[in-house]
Amino acid sequence: MATPLNSLLEEVSREHFPHPPATPEELEEFEQRVGWRLDPDLRAFYLHCNGAELIKRLPDSPYRILPLSKIVRARVAIFGKKNDDDAHGPASMWAICDVQDGNYLLVDVARQENGRYPVIDGWHEAWPDTKYCDQIATCFSDFLERALRDGQAYWLNE
């Protein structure tokens, strides 16, 4: 049985390293900038904390959930601003979490399951060939629960 998102967010506050919450205005500004709406899980997370480091503080954190201001297309996160074109990956993939060594966890805003975006392993060595970038969670709350329970790069052990 999945842990409710509110319980996961409370755990992030208690045992990890959350940033201060985003304001509703910051969420609106973010959605205007990127051209897509946060799903219910991401909206709840960012109203609770505008980014967080899980397990350890930087520079050793295996998961740095990015603040709204740092969320960019995967192709920009992986290759830099000058490569923001379709040759460097789909426009619908956005980096939401830095998992070290140039790798990111992504949401694909072109797909939803039960109103939520899937979380994808944005392995930089395979990018932009998305057939090597597996879905690692059905939604952000699923990812968060697995990360808090199973630790760093849990999907590599499956």
Side-chain angles (χ1 to χ4, degrees):
M1 176 108 184
T3 304
L5 181 57
N6 286 343
S7 295
L8 296 171
L9 295 176
E10 289 170 11
E11 182 178 338
V12 168
S13 289
R14 225 180 19 257
E15 300 176 22
H16 299 274
F17 309 98
H19 301 190
T23 64
E25 294 78 19
E26 288 172 312
L27 268 64
E28 178 66 30
E29 181 180 296
F30 167 78
E31 291 174 338
Q32 290 295 318
R33 175 176 66 86
V34 298
W36 51 273
R37 294 191 54 79
L38 295 165
D39 70 19
D41 288 356
L42 290 168
R43 182 171 298 283
F45 176 83
Y46 284 103
L47 287 170
H48 185 83
C49 56
N50 188 3
E53 293 137 31
L54 303 181
I55 304 169
K56 296 179 184 176
R57 287 200 176 273
L58 289 175
D60 300 319
S61 177
Y63 299 107
R64 182 173 69 106
I65 303 171
L66 300 173
L68 293 170
S69 64
K70 301 288 185 190
I71 295 175
V72 294
R73 283 192 175 94
R75 60 197 188 193
V76 171
I78 294 169
F79 293 125
K81 286 183 184 180
K82 65 181 180 179
N83 296 302
D84 192 7
D85 58 57
D86 291 344
H88 292 92
S92 65
M93 299 277 214
W94 292 78
I96 61 163
C97 183
D98 182 343
V99 290
Q100 305 282 345
D101 297 328
N103 297 311
Y104 292 87
L105 299 183
L106 318 172
V107 291
D108 183 355
V109 301
R111 294 182 11 213
Q112 284 193 4
E113 187 174 308
N114 297 317
R116 285 158 173 77
Y117 303 121
V119 179
I120 311 295
D121 177 11
W123 183 38
H124 79 276
E125 292 176 10
W127 193 261
D129 191 343
T130 57
K131 73 179 175 186
Y132 297 109
C133 297
D134 296 329
Q135 179 174 315
I136 63 160
T138 59
C139 60
F140 182 78
S141 60
D142 178 34
F143 152 72
L144 188 58
E145 180 172 28
R146 305 257 338 255
L148 296 176
R149 301 294 166 261
D150 301 335
Q152 185 172 355
Y154 66 82
W155 57 95
L156 298 177
N157 298 321
E158 295 179 340

